């Protein structure tokens, strides 16, 4: 079970390929968002994250949506399949700073709807002051289980409402 780049790994949920040697990923732990990268690791307390979290697949920022051109190409069969990465984009408080936390993408494709649902879930939880719930792997498993069967044919508003219902149950 996965939601775009989010998947369970050894008892925690991680964004990015935590099994790739030399890669970087983000773990949702009880105490906060833990970033593991070749250049080092850091822990960001849930209470520091404000204004939502954006999820982007590919390098840089796309003109619209969650995928850059390379991010879309890495979903297709061929030489770019599974290459590159992505990042979570957020604003932190105390001290205030904008952060771009990168991750290595998995070799498999990410459905566009899954990436949208993940971004919507993260932002809704931050806005509601409930980001700490991401550190509960059992709770997050139930929420992801409610979101993965959603149809990509639902409107953006219906998907956003479905995300809200999934985590508030």
């Amino acid at each position: 079970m996965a939601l775009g780049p989010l998947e369970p790994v050894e008892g925690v949920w991680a964004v990015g390929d935590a099994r790739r040697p030399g890669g970087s990923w983000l773990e949702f732990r009880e105490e906060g968002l833990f970033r593991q990268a070749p250049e080092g690791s850091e822990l960001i307390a849930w209470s520091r994250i404000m204004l939502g979290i954006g999820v982007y697949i590919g390098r840089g920022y796309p003109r619209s949506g969650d995928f850059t051109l390379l991010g879309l190409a890495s979903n297709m069969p061929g030489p770019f399949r599974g290459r590159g990465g992505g990042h979570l984009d957020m604003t932190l408080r105390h001290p205030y700073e904008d952060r771009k936390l990168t991750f290595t993408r998995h070799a498999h494709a990410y459905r566009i709807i899954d990436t949208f649902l993940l971004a919507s879930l993260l932002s809704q939880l931050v806005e509601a002051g409930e980001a700490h719930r991401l550190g509960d792997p059992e709770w997050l498993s139930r929420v992801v289980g409610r979101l993965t069967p959603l149809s990509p044919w639902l409107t953006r508003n219906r998907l956003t409402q479905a995300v809200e219902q999934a985590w508030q149950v």
Side-chain angles (χ1 to χ4, degrees):
M1 178 171 40
L3 196 60
L6 176 70
E7 70 176 18
V9 178
E10 298 175 9
V12 298
W13 282 84
V15 174
D17 192 351
R19 294 180 180 97
R20 187 175 293 191
S24 58
W25 65 91
L26 308 157
E27 294 178 3
F28 293 165
R29 294 184 177 180
E30 184 177 340
E31 59 274 9
L33 181 62
F34 180 77
R35 179 174 183 255
Q36 179 62 49
E39 62 271 11
S41 60
E42 71 176 307
L43 180 67
I44 298 169
W46 293 118
S47 60
R48 287 196 64 208
I49 302 171
M50 57 187 283
L51 305 177
I53 300 175
V55 179
Y56 299 97
I57 308 301
R59 294 203 173 139
Y61 292 94
R63 288 180 183 233
S64 64
D66 304 317
F67 285 78
T68 65
L69 188 57
L70 184 57
L72 286 171
S74 61
N75 266 348
M76 307 253 199
F80 296 111
R81 175 114 181 153
R83 295 190 179 258
H87 67 274
L88 297 186
D89 194 44
M90 64 192 72
T91 300
L92 303 177
R93 61 170 64 96
H94 308 300
Y96 290 99
E97 59 181 313
D98 290 327
R99 292 295 302 273
K100 181 176 167 179
L101 303 176
T102 59
F103 59 86
T104 305
R105 71 168 292 140
H106 299 87
H108 59 80
Y110 299 145
R111 292 186 331 153
I112 292 173
I113 185 176
D114 288 344
T115 304
F116 171 81
L117 292 169
L118 175 60
S120 184
L121 174 64
L122 297 177
S123 289
Q124 285 184 27
L125 288 170
V126 169
E127 290 171 17
E130 299 287 334
H132 64 278
R133 296 179 85 177
L134 293 166
D136 179 348
E138 291 158 7
W139 177 86
L140 191 52
S141 292
R142 288 190 301 274
V143 172
V144 170
R146 292 180 194 120
L147 295 176
T148 52
L150 291 177
S151 167
W153 300 108
L154 292 173
T155 65
R156 185 179 198 91
N157 286 340
R158 295 286 307 269
L159 288 170
T160 301
Q161 289 171 354
V163 169
E164 186 174 356
Q165 291 170 354
W167 71 264
Q168 289 187 351
V169 173

